[in-house]
């Protein structure tokens, strides 16, 4: 860490958050903000509570779902259980999304991560609706688990040798871990509230997405509309840290998020600012403040290579 720099928890979070790739950052924000608003405010307002459960969560009954098809998307951003159950629900979903989704987006681009998240959620919802035909129970489904399992399945089938480290267990191949989760779902299906059909539908969609990607079948470019169109990258793919189009929905949201922490007296830095050397007269703390102000003004993508190296050093204990 540069001498003299003291980072509080909020500053560390700002650095971490700004460093996340675009689609992942947006998905985390929508899920967490929706959860906090629900738990703190909306859960306690009867009319809003009824609206969310009645129109935004997924109701599998047919033909009613045909008239509320938007539920196939909206349910993927809702974590409605109160107490610790709801907290663990969103916590594990978001952790898995970060652990698996970040590397996938960095390698393949924002469009593909957003596309598989949405498509897997829809696939999980459709299988839940289909399962409703053969069971007497109508399901009310919410949560990002189908979408997250879709992301996990995509990566597991694209990279079957990819392993992750588990506490007390060690390295485990992701594809084996995915299979274990689905088997446990089946074993506990009778005595739990888990939307097993949604999980299998999300995983199956992830498998199909991986096969399409392997075969060069583009089923993700439509997601570019949320990022202001496709962005260029070496090798013809999409890039996670491309400049944001402020006219796109996610571009407007990113700009709002970047400006929400802006200080009233924040200095407007030039795009061609020369990287300050560590041995310059400017103190490390002042340099850190300048870089954080620049992130607030222009976003993480505007940082130079030297400024990013400075943040990396400042983030280390």
């Amino acid at each position: 860490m540069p001498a003299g720099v003291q980072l509080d928890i909020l500053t560390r979070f700002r650095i971490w958050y700004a460093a996340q790739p675009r689609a992942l950052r947006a998905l985390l924000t929508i899920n967490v903000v929706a959860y906090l608003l629900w738990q703190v405010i909306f859960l306690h307002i009867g009319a809003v509570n009824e609206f969310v459960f009645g129109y935004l969560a997924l109701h599998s009954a047919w033909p009613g779902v045909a008239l509320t098809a938007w539920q196939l998307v909206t349910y993927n951003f809702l974590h409605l259980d109160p107490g610790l159950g709801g907290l663990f629900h969103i916590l594990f979903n978001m952790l898995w999304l970060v652990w698996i989704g970040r590397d996938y987006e960095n390698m393949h681009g924002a469009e593909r991560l957003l596309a598989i998240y949405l498509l897997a959620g829809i696939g999980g919802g459709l299988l839940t609706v289909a399962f409703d035909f053969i069971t007497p129970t109508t399901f009310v489904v919410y949560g990002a688990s189908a979408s997250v399992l879709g992301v996990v399945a995509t990566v597991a089938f694209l990279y079957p040798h990819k392993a992750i480290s588990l506490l007390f267990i060690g390295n485990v191949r992701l594809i084996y871990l995915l299979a274990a989760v689905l088997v446990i779902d089946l074993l506990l299906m009778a005595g739990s509230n888990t939307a097993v059909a949604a999980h299998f539908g999300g995983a199956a969609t992830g498998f199909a997405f991986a096969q399409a990607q392997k075969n060069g079948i583009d089923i993700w470019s439509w997601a570019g509309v949320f990022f202001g169109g496709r962005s260029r990258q070496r090798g013809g793919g999409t890039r996670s840290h491309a400049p944001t189009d402020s006219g796109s929905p996610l571009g407007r949201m990113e700009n709002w998020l970047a400006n929400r922490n802006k200080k009233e007296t924040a200095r407007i830095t030039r795009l061609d600012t020369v990287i300050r050397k560590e041995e310059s007269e400017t103190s490390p703390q002042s340099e850190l403040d300048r870089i954080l102000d620049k992130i607030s003004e222009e976003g993480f993508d505007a940082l130079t290579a030297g400024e990013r190296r400075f943040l990396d050093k400042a983030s280390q204990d």
Side-chain angles (χ1 to χ4, degrees):
M1 177 187 295
V5 177
Q6 298 296 326
L7 297 181
D8 56 27
I9 294 177
L10 180 58
T11 302
R12 289 180 181 273
F13 174 77
R14 288 175 63 189
I15 294 173
W16 176 86
Y17 177 82
Q20 302 311 304
R22 293 168 61 195
L24 176 62
R25 189 165 63 226
L27 291 171
L28 290 174
T29 301
I30 295 171
N31 275 282
V32 172
V33 170
Y35 170 77
L36 292 176
L37 288 175
W38 172 256
Q39 295 294 335
V40 176
I41 301 175
F42 298 147
L43 177 63
H44 310 289
I45 302 176
V48 178
N49 191 310
E50 292 179 7
F51 175 81
V52 171
F53 269 101
Y55 292 95
L56 299 183
L58 174 63
H59 292 252
S60 62
W62 184 265
V65 69
L67 304 177
T68 56
W70 64 82
Q71 293 178 358
L72 293 170
V73 174
T74 55
Y75 88 94
N76 300 292
F77 299 95
L78 302 177
H79 297 82
L80 305 180
D81 292 327
L84 286 177
L87 177 61
F88 284 128
H89 190 193
I90 187 172
L91 178 62
F92 283 110
N93 277 339
M94 296 304 101
L95 284 175
W96 275 107
L97 190 59
V98 171
W99 291 336
I100 308 302
R102 179 171 52 200
D103 288 344
Y104 178 79
E105 181 175 353
N106 284 332
M107 288 189 294
H108 299 289
E111 293 174 1
R112 297 193 195 189
L113 179 64
L114 180 61
I116 183 51
Y117 183 96
L118 295 176
L119 290 175
I122 293 172
L126 289 175
L127 189 60
T128 301
V129 172
F131 192 65
D132 181 70
F133 277 106
I134 59 175
T135 63
T137 304
T138 296
F139 301 95
V140 179
V141 182
Y142 47 83
S145 298
S147 293
V148 171
L149 281 173
V151 174
V152 172
T154 298
V155 175
F157 286 110
L158 280 176
Y159 307 102
H161 296 288
K162 180 177 177 60
I164 63 174
S165 181
L166 297 180
L167 187 64
F168 305 124
I169 298 178
N171 291 335
V172 179
R173 286 191 184 181
L174 189 60
I175 196 166
Y176 296 156
L177 188 59
L178 173 65
V181 169
L182 296 178
V183 168
I184 292 173
D185 272 349
L186 285 177
L187 294 176
L188 300 179
M189 180 170 57
S192 72
N193 295 324
T194 302
V196 175
H199 289 187
F200 273 82
T205 305
F207 170 76
F209 194 93
Q211 296 308 306
Q213 186 169 325
K214 285 181 178 179
N215 295 323
I217 302 173
D218 185 347
I219 58 174
W220 55 79
S221 60
W222 55 268
V225 68
F226 295 100
F227 301 99
R230 295 182 65 89
S231 54
R232 295 180 181 178
Q233 179 187 352
R234 289 171 298 181
T238 55
R239 186 176 176 180
S240 298
H241 288 299
T244 302
D245 180 354
S246 60
S248 68
L250 286 183
R252 289 194 296 270
M253 186 182 73
E254 284 183 343
N255 289 338
W256 178 81
L257 289 169
N259 289 325
R260 78 195 192 288
N261 289 327
K262 186 176 77 172
K263 302 176 183 177
E264 274 187 60
T265 58
R267 295 178 299 264
I268 300 177
T269 55
R270 292 183 178 181
L271 292 175
D272 60 348
T273 299
V274 178
I275 301 172
R276 301 182 184 184
K277 297 181 180 179
E278 287 188 26
E279 60 268 20
S280 69
E281 295 181 358
T282 304
S283 69
Q285 186 63 52
S286 298
E287 177 69 357
L288 176 63
D289 290 339
R290 183 190 68 80
I291 293 175
L292 292 177
D293 286 341
K294 185 173 182 179
I295 293 174
S296 294
E297 287 286 347
E298 304 168 30
F300 186 83
D301 299 327
L303 297 184
T304 64
E307 289 167 336
R308 295 191 187 194
R309 285 195 297 270
F310 185 92
L311 279 184
D312 288 340
K313 291 180 181 179
S315 300
Q316 297 171 2
D317 294 327

